[in-house]
Amino acid sequence: MSPSFSTMLVRLRERRPLIHHITNDVVTHITANATLAAGASPIMAKALEEVEEVARQVDGLVLNIGTLTPAQVEAMKAAGKAARGEGIPIVLDPVGYGFTKLRTQATHELLAQVKPSVIRGNQGEIGLLAGGKGAVKGVEGKGEDPREMDRLTVELARREKAVVAMTGPEDRISDGQRLVVLRRGHPAMGAITGSGCMATAVVASWVAAFPDDLLWATVGALAAFSLAGEKAAAHSRGQGSFTAELLDALAALTPEELVPLEAEIHERSL
Amino acid sequence: MSPSFSTMLVRLRERRPLIHHITNDVVTHITANATLAAGASPIMAKALEEVEEVARQVDGLVLNIGTLTPAQVEAMKAAGKAARGEGIPIVLDPVGYGFTKLRTQATHELLAQVKPSVIRGNQGEIGLLAGGKGAVKGVEGKGEDPREMDRLTVELARREKAVVAMTGPEDRISDGQRLVVLRRGHPAMGAITGSGCMATAVVASWVAAFPDDLLWATVGALAAFSLAGEKAAAHSRGQGSFTAELLDALAALTPEELVPLEAEIHERSL
Amino acid sequence: MSPSFSTMLVRLRERRPLIHHITNDVVTHITANATLAAGASPIMAKALEEVEEVARQVDGLVLNIGTLTPAQVEAMKAAGKAARGEGIPIVLDPVGYGFTKLRTQATHELLAQVKPSVIRGNQGEIGLLAGGKGAVKGVEGKGEDPREMDRLTVELARREKAVVAMTGPEDRISDGQRLVVLRRGHPAMGAITGSGCMATAVVASWVAAFPDDLLWATVGALAAFSLAGEKAAAHSRGQGSFTAELLDALAALTPEELVPLEAEIHERSL
């Protein structure tokens, strides 16, 4: 039985956590807006000269490597260590992990030095990160075998001692002991740029508000975001408008609307 | 009695001033669009190697410190001095002033070395900049005492010999001798990211067109922007769509619609 | 007689080419979305440490100098040479060519060292690049003489051994041997920021899918983009919403809708 997402949403909006984003150039604006729509407040800061100071004053930190530079890696490490030192939840989004050496190496350094609380990525990123190249080719090539994806999600969570969220047509969330599979959302979410990064921003908003329940905060965030995606898609005018409609729906979500999802989401103990 | 905002809007659109923005990563796109919607043209340029050359060819300059780096501070100083040398109006937006040493120190350096024509910030930023930490805590803690905010706005204007705009539920604009309070706009403007930065872009568009009347150009800009916010909110579909609706309304504003505001806005001599 | 744009659109969407963008801060998000709406996939990467690796794995490369820095010039050269070595089409967008020394010099270096497959710019940029200052002043001053613009487009294509697209109220596309003039689109496209950059992203998507027919791929891209602009303008709610509506229309374009354009577009042999 899941906790009450509806109650969590009410509390999140009351607490209005402040989220520091060190993120990619493509999604700076929409993830700031996604943070607001989720019920939190964003602050973007990237200079090595200020990121530690910022990270210490916030409730959550997002590290998104989508347009990485070596200087940004240093800023992420500094901010991450500062946040870690204060017990502030950190969400890592390893965009394009495996595509270049810079991204792959930076991800490994961030995992080792920053120890993120939550890692959110798509099937390819999480699969590759969990199991090496062969495993991911398997994930992509074998028609996305659900059991294999379950295994990879849990394995990465155990290895990194973090909550791992592998999102896609189905979302898998695990803390290494438990696994939750969420079958919600809409394919339209995959047709816009940055929906994964927006999901990360929403996850950061929830875990910042509920740092003592990272697993369920992550599930609640993805449940809320998926429901917003379904609602937006129901009356969408097209691919270009969908981003704004998704934000509209996320901000307009009522606690009551989350109640039906509470009943349908179950954890599996492992 | 205020000047004719409606006539100013007509002239602004005829003059179509070119505005150079050195701004933050979150709002680059929407402030470029806000500049267009206001009736001006934007050019974004950030490299130290070209900012002086750009600043000398434009009609107005925006310096927005929302995602500051030390390199950007240098570019802002160089562009600011070049613009100052040509008599081109400069608008400073001290985003997050007081939140980090980098931002606080950069703001002081820009004030001293660039001498902006207009400073636009929210109540916290302007209050802190005007009166130090205690004063701002007062602003936030004491239920935003209107007289205290009047005093802080005027004080900063006098000290920096600039027009100061403290925007929020009420906008206060002062050149140190006169104070105008504008009670317009809509709370929806506070729920999106970058509305303050958009206001700055609109202010820059107006002061670039009317460099000899900085106070009233700033008031006219905020009147136009606030009215656009009200109109957008009246038929808004939600928080995500609101940014585009605000731009729609700003671009569609007719000179006639500004006439009623001319009658309701008065300056107070100090 | 033009090739079948409708067939090309079907194939483009099947091939779903991957496009690497090194672009300006203003349009990162909308050109990523424009790439998706065109039927391709975007990847943004800018660090010198990874751009060559990225450029070798993609189907097309965009170099857009809209907010240039010297570091970005180096990244563009490295990525461009890597792409060139693999025979991957490169599209150069010389935003603001002629406005500063940095942009002018970088454009010349990129032309010499990277040898782009396609150069897309507005009348001022292409005119200046083709014919020097006098010529462009002529373009702007003489009421945009169509023959002069034809000549400048063809001349630049011959000199740079590239397809050149001079876009505006009319689009001119030439490979030096042939010239195509496209009279489509809508003035609303000129009132938003980044429509030229979006056009470049669409061109890159098409030439990545059809690297053996750069001229007609460029024409097809601009025909599709112009038609999307017309459709978006027909039911637009305003300047702020238009960007999203343009993306909506581009993504929703059916191959059948391109058929009428096939009949009206003709090449002129030179």
Side-chain angles (χ1 to χ4, degrees):
Chain A
M1 178 81 193
S2 70
S4 170
F5 295 141
S6 50
T7 307
M8 290 173 88
L9 180 60
V10 173
R11 284 199 198 141
L12 162 61
R13 289 176 176 167
E14 284 166 3
R15 289 177 190 175
R16 203 170 179 76
L18 182 59
I19 312 299
H20 176 193
H21 298 255
I22 305 181
T23 191
N24 75 64
D25 300 342
V26 185
V27 301
T28 330
H29 184 243
I30 57 159
T31 58
N33 265 332
T35 305
L36 284 167
S41 287
I43 179 163
M44 268 58 185
K46 64 182 179 182
L48 188 57
E49 288 77 5
E50 71 170 9
V51 287
E52 293 166 280
E53 210 178 339
V54 173
R56 281 194 203 98
Q57 299 183 67
V58 298
D59 303 298
L61 173 64
V62 169
L63 305 176
N64 175 317
I65 70 165
T67 52
L68 205 60
T69 63
Q72 206 187 25
V73 177
E74 293 315 305
M76 286 182 177
K77 286 182 194 169
K81 288 172 190 171
R84 172 63 51 210
E86 303 284 333
I88 294 164
I90 301 161
V91 183
L92 174 66
D93 191 332
V95 180
Y97 174 83
F99 202 77
T100 67
K101 282 184 204 108
L102 178 67
R103 297 185 194 211
T104 300
Q105 193 177 326
T107 301
H108 290 295
E109 288 175 16
L110 291 169
L111 288 173
Q113 296 178 33
V114 168
K115 299 188 191 307
S117 322
V118 182
I119 306 164
R120 193 221 59 87
N122 63 28
Q123 294 172 0
E125 291 152 358
I126 297 296
L128 194 54
L129 193 49
K133 205 161 189 175
V136 165
K137 279 193 180 164
V139 168
E140 291 172 347
K142 289 175 197 164
E144 298 170 350
D145 176 52
R147 289 190 194 177
E148 179 66 0
M149 289 195 290
D150 287 355
R151 191 186 66 76
L152 291 164
T153 303
V154 172
E155 195 166 297
L156 184 62
R158 287 184 180 163
R159 193 184 79 204
E160 300 300 335
K161 295 180 179 49
V163 168
V164 169
M166 177 196 270
T167 63
E170 293 181 332
D171 298 333
R172 288 175 166 74
I173 305 101
S174 177
D175 62 357
Q177 273 73 52
R178 296 165 290 176
L179 175 71
V180 177
V181 180
L182 182 63
R183 291 180 187 87
R184 284 286 193 156
H186 192 278
M189 300 168 85
I192 55 165
T193 198
S195 59
C197 303
M198 289 169 81
T200 294
V202 179
V203 167
S205 302
W206 281 66
V207 298
F210 310 102
D212 296 330
D213 195 359
L214 295 174
L215 180 78
W216 283 109
T218 303
V219 176
L222 294 172
F225 188 61
S226 298
L227 186 58
E230 291 172 20
K231 293 185 70 184
H235 57 82
S236 179
R237 292 184 312 283
Q239 186 173 319
S241 309
F242 186 72
T243 304
E245 289 160 352
L246 183 52
L247 291 169
D248 283 352
L250 183 60
L253 218 61
T254 64
E256 291 69 33
E257 289 175 299
L258 286 173
V259 173
L261 281 77
E262 294 168 10
E264 78 186 46
I265 297 171
H266 301 277
E267 65 178 57
R268 264 186 276 158
S269 292
L270 302 169
Chain B
M1 179 79 194
S2 71
S4 169
F5 295 141
S6 51
T7 306
M8 290 173 88
L9 181 59
V10 173
R11 284 200 198 142
L12 162 61
R13 288 176 177 166
E14 284 166 3
R15 290 178 189 174
R16 203 171 179 77
L18 183 60
I19 312 298
H20 176 194
H21 297 255
I22 305 181
T23 190
N24 76 64
D25 300 342
V26 185
V27 300
T28 330
H29 184 243
I30 56 159
T31 56
N33 266 330
T35 305
L36 284 167
S41 287
I43 178 163
M44 267 60 184
K46 64 183 179 181
L48 188 56
E49 288 76 6
E50 70 170 9
V51 288
E52 293 166 281
E53 211 177 338
V54 172
R56 280 194 203 99
Q57 299 183 67
V58 299
D59 303 298
L61 172 65
V62 169
L63 306 176
N64 176 316
I65 70 166
T67 52
L68 205 61
T69 64
Q72 206 187 25
V73 177
E74 293 314 305
M76 286 181 176
K77 285 182 195 169
K81 287 172 191 171
R84 171 65 49 209
E86 303 285 331
I88 295 164
I90 301 161
V91 183
L92 173 67
D93 191 332
V95 180
Y97 174 82
F99 202 77
T100 67
K101 282 185 204 106
L102 178 67
R103 296 185 194 211
T104 300
Q105 193 177 326
T107 301
H108 290 294
E109 288 175 16
L110 291 169
L111 288 173
Q113 296 178 35
V114 168
K115 300 188 190 306
S117 322
V118 182
I119 306 164
R120 192 222 60 87
N122 62 29
Q123 294 172 359
E125 290 152 358
I126 297 297
L128 193 54
L129 194 47
K133 207 161 188 175
V136 164
K137 280 194 180 165
V139 168
E140 290 172 348
K142 290 175 196 163
E144 297 169 351
D145 176 52
R147 288 190 195 177
E148 177 67 0
M149 289 196 290
D150 288 354
R151 190 186 67 76
L152 291 165
T153 303
V154 172
E155 194 167 299
L156 184 62
R158 287 183 180 163
R159 193 184 79 203
E160 299 300 335
K161 297 180 178 50
V163 167
V164 169
M166 177 196 270
T167 62
E170 293 181 332
D171 297 334
R172 288 174 167 74
I173 305 101
S174 177
D175 62 356
Q177 273 73 52
R178 297 165 289 175
L179 175 70
V180 177
V181 180
L182 182 63
R183 292 181 185 86
R184 283 288 193 155
H186 191 277
M189 300 169 85
I192 56 165
T193 199
S195 58
C197 304
M198 290 168 80
T200 294
V202 179
V203 167
S205 302
W206 282 65
V207 297
F210 308 102
D212 296 330
D213 195 358
L214 295 175
L215 179 79
W216 283 108
T218 303
V219 175
L222 294 172
F225 188 61
S226 298
L227 185 59
E230 291 172 20
K231 293 184 71 184
H235 57 82
S236 179
R237 292 184 311 282
Q239 186 173 318
S241 309
F242 185 72
T243 305
E245 288 159 353
L246 183 53
L247 291 168
D248 283 352
L250 184 60
L253 217 61
T254 63
E256 290 70 32
E257 290 176 298
L258 285 173
V259 173
L261 281 78
E262 294 167 11
E264 78 186 45
I265 297 171
H266 300 278
E267 65 178 57
R268 262 186 278 158
S269 292
L270 302 169
Chain C
M1 179 80 193
S2 71
S4 170
F5 296 141
S6 50
T7 306
M8 290 173 88
L9 180 60
V10 172
R11 284 200 199 142
L12 162 61
R13 288 176 177 166
E14 284 166 5
R15 290 177 189 174
R16 201 170 180 77
L18 183 59
I19 312 299
H20 176 193
H21 297 255
I22 306 181
T23 191
N24 76 64
D25 300 342
V26 185
V27 301
T28 331
H29 185 243
I30 57 159
T31 57
N33 266 331
T35 305
L36 285 166
S41 287
I43 179 164
M44 266 61 183
K46 64 182 179 183
L48 188 56
E49 288 77 5
E50 72 170 9
V51 287
E52 291 165 283
E53 211 177 338
V54 173
R56 280 195 203 97
Q57 300 183 66
V58 299
D59 304 297
L61 173 65
V62 169
L63 306 177
N64 175 316
I65 70 166
T67 52
L68 205 60
T69 63
Q72 205 187 25
V73 177
E74 293 314 305
M76 286 182 177
K77 285 182 194 168
K81 287 172 190 171
R84 171 64 51 210
E86 303 284 332
I88 294 163
I90 301 161
V91 184
L92 174 67
D93 191 332
V95 180
Y97 173 82
F99 202 77
T100 67
K101 282 184 204 108
L102 178 67
R103 296 185 193 210
T104 300
Q105 193 177 326
T107 301
H108 289 295
E109 287 175 16
L110 291 169
L111 288 173
Q113 296 178 33
V114 168
K115 300 188 191 304
S117 323
V118 183
I119 306 164
R120 192 221 60 84
N122 63 29
Q123 294 173 358
E125 292 152 357
I126 297 297
L128 193 55
L129 194 47
K133 205 162 189 174
V136 164
K137 279 193 182 165
V139 168
E140 290 171 347
K142 290 176 196 163
E144 298 169 351
D145 175 51
R147 288 190 194 177
E148 178 66 1
M149 290 193 291
D150 288 355
R151 191 186 68 76
L152 291 165
T153 303
V154 172
E155 194 166 298
L156 183 62
R158 286 184 180 164
R159 192 184 80 203
E160 300 300 334
K161 295 180 179 50
V163 168
V164 170
M166 177 196 270
T167 63
E170 293 181 332
D171 297 333
R172 289 174 166 74
I173 305 102
S174 177
D175 63 356
Q177 273 72 53
R178 296 165 290 176
L179 175 71
V180 178
V181 180
L182 182 63
R183 291 181 187 87
R184 283 286 193 157
H186 192 278
M189 300 169 86
I192 56 165
T193 198
S195 59
C197 303
M198 290 168 80
T200 295
V202 179
V203 167
S205 302
W206 281 67
V207 297
F210 309 103
D212 297 329
D213 194 0
L214 294 175
L215 180 78
W216 283 109
T218 302
V219 176
L222 293 173
F225 189 61
S226 297
L227 185 58
E230 292 172 20
K231 294 185 69 183
H235 58 81
S236 179
R237 292 185 310 283
Q239 186 172 319
S241 309
F242 186 73
T243 305
E245 289 160 353
L246 183 53
L247 291 169
D248 282 353
L250 184 61
L253 217 62
T254 65
E256 292 70 32
E257 290 176 298
L258 285 173
V259 173
L261 281 77
E262 293 167 10
E264 78 187 45
I265 297 171
H266 301 277
E267 65 179 57
R268 263 186 277 160
S269 292
L270 302 169

